[in-house]
Amino acid sequence: MYPNPRKTKSIRRLGAVDIAALKAAVLAIPEDIWQAENADKPNRFEALDATAHIVFRFVSDVRDWRASFARPIWEAWEPTIMPVLRAATADYGYANGIFPRVMLARMPAGGIIQPHRDANPAAKWPHKIHVPIQTNDQVLFRLGGETHHIAEGEAAEVNNMDMHAVVNRGTDSRIHLIFEYYDADQADPAWIGEVVSA
């Protein structure tokens, strides 16, 4: 199962986006909402450790990115999040771009995301994009043997097919908007039919 050849092989800096309204809304989320949404999240992977998530959209089947669904919380957040998604992906130029997975990820101070690859087939095709909503200069993203820092409000596509890990050595939580994006007009890979029917 080869990945989408359009995906970055390392990290692709997409530029700064306006996160002011989104940041204000995110920082106002009560802790009980974080806890309730995290307890009900569909993305339970050991590598994510103590990172908490609020999942807005998710794939219906981890074998196929082409079908996704909105969780109940998405309706209230869509008007605030969509301008950030559109701004972050403008340079791709896709006339029919789709966002199958959209979530917030909060890593506590001292938190670690263990080295891993996004192994499920649905992660092989879409671009994986991060937009830091709250961060500090001690949040380090290790990808393919290199260490990177993504600044607050900067959109960056990362190669989720390569081994990657994150550490937050700062004193504040790191909160990222993380989402996937793909071109619905791009031809599907030959292997998708075999995986879905398996």
Side-chain angles (χ1 to χ4, degrees), residues 20-184:
L22 179 57
K23 181 176 181 178
V26 168
L27 295 182
I29 298 172
E31 184 60 26
D32 63 323
I33 299 297
W34 272 106
Q35 295 299 325
E37 290 294 324
N38 187 61
D40 194 39
K41 67 184 178 183
N43 58 327
R44 297 183 179 280
F45 306 113
E46 289 182 14
L48 299 177
D49 196 33
T51 300
H53 295 85
I54 296 177
V55 178
F56 301 103
R57 296 191 54 81
F58 207 73
V59 289
S60 303
D61 184 333
V62 294
R63 298 174 301 173
D64 191 347
W65 61 91
R66 299 170 301 173
S68 59
F69 64 96
R71 299 186 78 239
I73 198 169
W74 175 240
E75 183 177 0
W77 281 83
E78 183 177 9
T80 306
I81 293 177
M82 281 306 299
V84 177
L85 301 186
R86 289 192 186 103
T89 57
D91 285 352
Y92 290 95
Y94 298 160
N96 194 12
I98 306 291
F99 302 98
R101 291 191 242 207
V102 181
M103 66 191 71
L104 293 171
R106 184 181 69 177
M107 172 188 280
I112 295 172
I113 294 177
Q114 301 294 337
H116 67 287
R117 292 182 175 89
D118 294 1
N120 62 78
K124 290 185 176 295
W125 210 249
H127 304 281
K128 183 74 167 280
I129 300 169
H130 286 238
V131 180
I133 305 302
Q134 174 179 281
T135 192
N136 63 76
D137 61 7
Q138 294 301 303
V139 174
L140 303 175
F141 187 89
R142 187 87 175 151
L143 175 63
E146 297 182 348
T147 301
H148 306 270
H149 174 73
I150 308 171
E152 190 170 292
E154 178 188 8
E157 179 187 350
V158 300
N159 178 8
N160 60 329
M161 297 291 94
D162 203 346
M163 193 66 73
H164 57 284
V166 187
V167 62
N168 180 3
R169 295 180 181 149
T171 57
D172 298 314
S173 294
R174 179 220 78 166
I175 305 174
H176 279 199
L177 174 67
I178 302 174
F179 62 96
E180 293 178 343
Y181 183 64
Y182 73 94
D183 179 6

